[in-house]
Amino acid sequence: MPAKIVIDHLSVRYSDQAESLRDVSLEIEENAITAIFGPAGGGKSTLLRTLNRLNDLADVDLVSGKVLLNGKDILDRRVNVMELRRKVGMVFSRPLALPLSIYDNVAYGLTTAGGRRKARLDEAVEKALRQVTLWEEIYDRLHTPAHRLSGGQQQRLSIARVLALQPEVILLDEPTSALDPVSTTKIEALLHELSASITVVIAPHNTQQTARIADYAAFFLSGELIEYAPKTQMFTLPKDKRAQDYIEGRFG
């Protein structure tokens, strides 16, 4: 089957800064977890933000190349960006609970898109919360403020808000970096379950997490894609010495 996302000679440069991504070509497989890892400043966040056009909101001087989702170039200026972001959701490093109730947090994207039927919203909210294994913990306080949840619960809530839109791809930028080990384990187990039906692209917050959860791993260094391989190959027999040195802790 063709790859879900095909990145073809992508370069991104921010205004008055060094080029953040340089000539990156990468195929991201459907219904798998692809981990983008490497030292800070390697371009991982820039790549994730490019995949759902969040870089449109940044001071970008240059974007060149193509990013094909289901064979269509999402960098084409004629693309409906709001519709793209429904298909390609984003979760950030720190939990993002809106100043609303738990229910309204999950329903936010749907109501913004025009969803008003309560029965349909109820169904979507419950389904998303069950997907992130949060329903049993909070079903009796859906209308209480979301900020009362723990950090780990708020991060699962953030993922539920994305899942309520039924995305095809979910992007995660160090989603467990601010969480305790128990919450981290829950998020990692959730991503494994989601990858059966959703394409997951994650920038893990450390190499160990990449080794635990990835199906495929892409090593980035200073804006360049150095090596891309199935996780087992990357962590047992990497082809590039820079990737091997980073995995073995010689730098970074």
Side-chain angles (χ1 to χ4, degrees), residues 19-229:
E19 199 168 37
S20 183
L21 290 175
R22 290 193 295 277
D23 197 32
V24 172
S25 293
L26 174 65
E27 294 191 358
I28 295 174
E29 300 299 325
E30 186 170 18
N31 297 350
I33 300 177
T34 297
I36 302 167
F37 76 111
K44 303 182 296 294
S45 294
T46 296
L47 179 60
L48 291 179
R49 289 170 178 270
T50 301
L51 294 181
N52 76 343
R53 295 276 296 272
L54 277 179
N55 271 336
D56 289 9
L57 307 176
D59 192 9
V60 176
D61 187 51
L62 168 72
V63 178
S64 63
K66 294 181 179 181
V67 177
L68 306 180
L69 173 66
N70 300 326
K72 296 182 179 180
D73 187 7
I74 68 169
L75 300 183
D76 189 316
R77 290 297 164 182
R78 294 170 292 184
V79 167
N80 183 322
V81 175
M82 294 304 294
E83 182 61 30
L84 171 66
R85 291 174 186 158
R86 287 173 62 91
K87 293 180 180 178
V88 184
M90 183 84 177
V91 177
F92 299 95
S93 57
R94 299 197 67 83
L96 182 60
L98 303 175
L100 303 167
S101 69
I102 295 170
Y103 181 99
D104 288 337
N105 261 266
V106 181
Y108 181 80
L110 294 171
T111 54
T112 301
R116 292 292 185 269
R117 289 183 57 188
K118 189 174 186 304
R120 186 168 295 179
L121 290 175
D122 289 350
E123 181 182 357
V125 168
E126 180 175 346
K127 179 180 178 181
L129 289 173
R130 286 190 183 278
Q131 282 181 288
V132 300
T133 65
L134 197 53
W135 177 258
E136 294 298 332
E137 298 173 31
I138 52 81
Y139 71 90
D140 57 347
R141 48 193 173 113
L142 292 176
H143 299 288
T144 61
H147 68 78
R148 295 181 184 174
L149 298 174
S150 69
Q153 289 175 324
Q154 287 188 36
Q155 190 63 302
R156 282 186 284 156
L157 183 71
S158 299
I159 297 173
R161 186 166 56 242
V162 171
L163 293 178
L165 295 172
Q166 297 183 314
E168 299 177 23
V169 179
I170 184 168
L171 313 171
L172 305 104
D173 193 358
E174 299 190 2
T176 61
S177 61
L179 303 184
D180 60 88
V182 173
S183 297
T184 294
T185 298
K186 289 182 178 181
I187 296 291
E188 291 178 359
L190 166 62
L191 295 180
H192 275 298
E193 292 180 11
L194 292 177
S195 67
S197 57
I198 298 175
T199 300
V200 177
V201 186
I202 181 173
H205 73 276
N206 58 39
T207 307
Q208 292 76 22
Q209 187 172 59
T210 301
R212 287 195 301 270
I213 69 171
D215 296 306
Y216 299 90
F219 175 63
F220 276 74
L221 183 65
S222 301
E224 295 184 55
L225 173 60
I226 303 302
E227 186 167 349
Y228 172 64

